[in-house]
Amino acid sequence: MSIDHILDRALKGERLTLEDGIRLYESPELEKIGHAANEIMKKWHPEPITTFVIGRNINYTNVCDTYCRFCAFYRPPGHEEGYVLSDDEILQKIQETVDVKGTEILMQGGTHPGLKLDYYTNLLRKIKARFPQIQMHSLSVAEIVRIAEVSELPVETVLHELHVAGLDSLPGAGAEILDDRTRMKISRKKGSWKEWIEVMKAANREGLHTTATMVIGFGETYEERILSLLRIREAQDETKGFKAFISWTFQPDNTNLKAEKVTAEEYLKTVAISRLMLDNIANFQSSWVTMGPVVGKQSLSYGCNDFGSTMMEENVVSAAACTHKVNTNEILRLIREAGKIPAQRNTKYEILQVFNEGEWAETDFVMQN
């Protein structure tokens, strides 16, 4: 059965259904789906600009008692390889980011049972006192819930206190697949899909903007993927707090969950279908970290308008033997090769600098692990 009528409806601005999404996944016409997604992207972003942010992931701890089967990074409480970075180490990493004109810190760790709310608020205040300009796009739903549990406080109170202390926005980590069959298979202790959505909506009500994510490759069905997108779409209708959507692929190496790696074609199809289904989110990030820079560049023709973060440090995905790395000037080159104009943005997707032809970053870095 032809998918033309589905794509035509999407291009006319009609909202696609669960059945439409499944049919698109079942279709072999990847290029046709990608073309439609690219046309939708251009309605949101008519100028041929692809943005990126100069940022750093800081994994302040690897101690975690959630025990996700798909994670190669965490260490259980009491493990000899467990760590919590000192405040001075974290401040030094932020200074190094600022030195290369970085604007965003994605600080995440595990669900550490020994760290209560005051640890995070004290750290955030210390960071903001020294770096008031830095955007703390940090923590995750799972971390927020664990902080609330060990501090014996409501989630809403935790979000408010973190916001006051210096948390600017909440990343979409931990969504994986927003359907409980798969969630219970890969991480029984991480909470239901409803909990993830409710914490995100609470963050939006608190005034924190957020991002939404989906990870594919756990053995989930097409229906479960589309249900994830529909649940994100419904939450966005209510709070309008999601600044961006990012999909990436499960990396099975060194984990306790074995699976075949998702192909580039399946990833690009997911990017495109997500753009068609999520008609109320403006920005879509490429996932060059898991797919590599070449596929990342291709995704700019399948609905993505953003190349994500330079990620001058990354440890979680790297722990699963996924080691794609780029620096700022490499990102500029890749975006130009895709026929786009590169522009540095901040966490709110406000453009800070457009790099015209022949312009390169004055400061750059070597990615660290």
Side-chain angles (χ1 to χ4, degrees):
M1 186 172 62
S2 172
I3 60 170
D4 290 355
H5 67 292
I6 298 174
L7 300 180
D8 287 343
R9 284 172 38 229
L11 290 168
K12 290 175 182 176
E14 294 182 29
R15 181 157 275 189
L16 299 186
T17 66
L18 172 65
E19 292 73 21
D20 292 331
I22 293 171
R23 178 69 191 95
L24 291 175
Y25 260 120
E26 291 173 341
S27 171
E29 297 185 88
L30 173 59
E31 291 187 7
K32 185 179 286 187
I33 298 169
H35 176 75
N38 196 51
E39 291 302 305
I40 296 293
M41 183 275 292
K42 288 192 287 188
K43 289 184 178 182
W44 285 97
H45 307 281
E47 298 297 322
I49 289 176
T50 293
T51 51
F52 67 94
V53 66
I54 298 178
R56 182 172 194 160
N57 284 23
I58 298 177
N59 302 113
Y60 64 95
T61 183
N62 65 346
V63 176
C64 186
D65 62 359
T66 300
Y67 312 122
C68 297
R69 293 178 63 200
F70 59 86
C71 181
F73 173 71
Y74 83 89
R75 296 295 182 267
H79 194 281
E80 61 182 9
E81 296 176 0
Y83 72 82
V84 178
L85 295 179
S86 70
D87 291 359
D88 286 344
E89 288 176 293
I90 292 171
L91 291 169
Q92 177 60 35
K93 288 175 181 289
I94 297 175
Q95 182 64 62
E96 292 167 0
T97 307
V98 170
D99 289 344
V100 294
K101 298 188 176 180
T103 61
E104 178 181 286
I105 296 296
L106 198 154
M107 187 175 72
Q108 291 182 325
T111 55
H112 194 307
L115 299 180
K116 294 186 177 182
L117 177 60
D118 60 351
Y119 164 81
Y120 297 93
T121 53
N122 290 338
L123 177 58
L124 284 166
R125 288 191 184 98
K126 190 176 292 188
I127 290 169
K128 284 294 187 173
R130 183 163 166 183
F131 305 104
Q133 78 279 25
I134 205 74
Q135 294 286 302
M136 295 302 293
H137 181 57
S138 299
L139 302 178
S140 65
V141 166
E143 287 165 286
I144 297 296
V145 170
R146 195 70 176 109
I147 294 166
E149 290 172 348
V150 300
S151 305
E152 299 182 346
L153 292 168
V155 163
E156 290 79 5
T157 300
V158 169
L159 287 166
H160 176 70
E161 293 300 323
L162 291 170
H163 190 194
V164 170
L167 182 66
D168 296 300
S169 54
L170 191 64
E176 277 82 63
I177 292 293
L178 293 176
D179 189 84
D180 287 344
R181 185 193 73 88
T182 294
R183 293 181 75 80
M184 292 302 101
K185 181 178 74 171
I186 63 177
S187 183
R188 288 184 176 274
K189 297 183 68 177
K190 207 164 196 176
S192 69
W193 72 264
K194 290 182 180 179
E195 181 178 69
W196 189 91
I197 288 287
E198 289 305 316
V199 173
M200 280 296 183
K201 291 196 291 188
N204 294 157
R205 290 192 295 269
E206 170 57 33
L208 296 162
H209 68 81
T210 57
T211 56
T213 62
M214 181 170 73
V215 183
I216 61 171
F218 297 118
E220 71 284 346
T221 64
Y222 291 155
E223 180 178 1
E224 288 169 332
R225 292 181 187 178
I226 299 300
L227 283 172
S228 289
L229 299 176
L230 293 178
R231 286 160 178 166
I232 291 167
R233 189 172 77 183
E234 183 179 358
Q236 180 74 342
D237 280 345
E238 181 178 334
T239 66
K240 299 176 175 58
F242 291 127
K243 285 287 185 181
F245 175 79
I246 311 101
S247 57
W248 66 86
T249 60
F250 167 52
Q251 303 300 308
D253 293 351
N254 300 332
T255 74
N256 292 321
L257 185 63
K258 300 307 175 186
E260 294 293 324
K261 287 189 176 182
V262 173
T263 64
E265 290 76 15
E266 187 75 0
Y267 163 72
L268 292 171
K269 181 182 280 190
T270 296
V271 167
I273 292 172
S274 299
R275 174 59 91 173
L276 295 170
M277 298 296 301
L278 296 175
D279 55 13
N280 53 5
I281 297 180
N283 301 294
F284 279 61
Q285 282 186 26
S286 168
S287 182
W288 60 263
V289 177
T290 57
M291 298 307 300
V294 173
V295 178
K297 181 172 65 174
Q298 282 183 281
S299 71
L300 301 181
S301 299
Y302 283 78
C304 289
N305 64 289
D306 185 83
F307 214 68
S309 172
T310 55
M311 215 171 287
M312 60 182 290
E313 177 182 1
E314 199 289 317
N315 299 292
V316 178
V317 174
S318 298
C322 185
T323 55
H324 300 296
K325 302 177 182 181
V326 297
N327 56 23
T328 305
N329 281 324
E330 178 77 355
I331 284 178
L332 298 181
R333 182 182 65 80
L334 289 164
I335 290 173
R336 285 169 175 152
E337 286 179 355
K340 308 286 187 176
I341 300 168
Q344 182 186 351
R345 62 165 173 87
N346 62 17
T347 311
K348 295 180 180 180
Y349 285 80
E350 298 165 336
I351 291 179
L352 303 177
Q353 179 182 359
V354 175
F355 290 84
N356 295 311
E357 188 175 355
E359 285 188 291
W360 298 93
E362 295 177 5
T363 56
D364 215 336
F365 58 89
V366 176
M367 183 173 174
Q368 304 177 35
N369 290 105

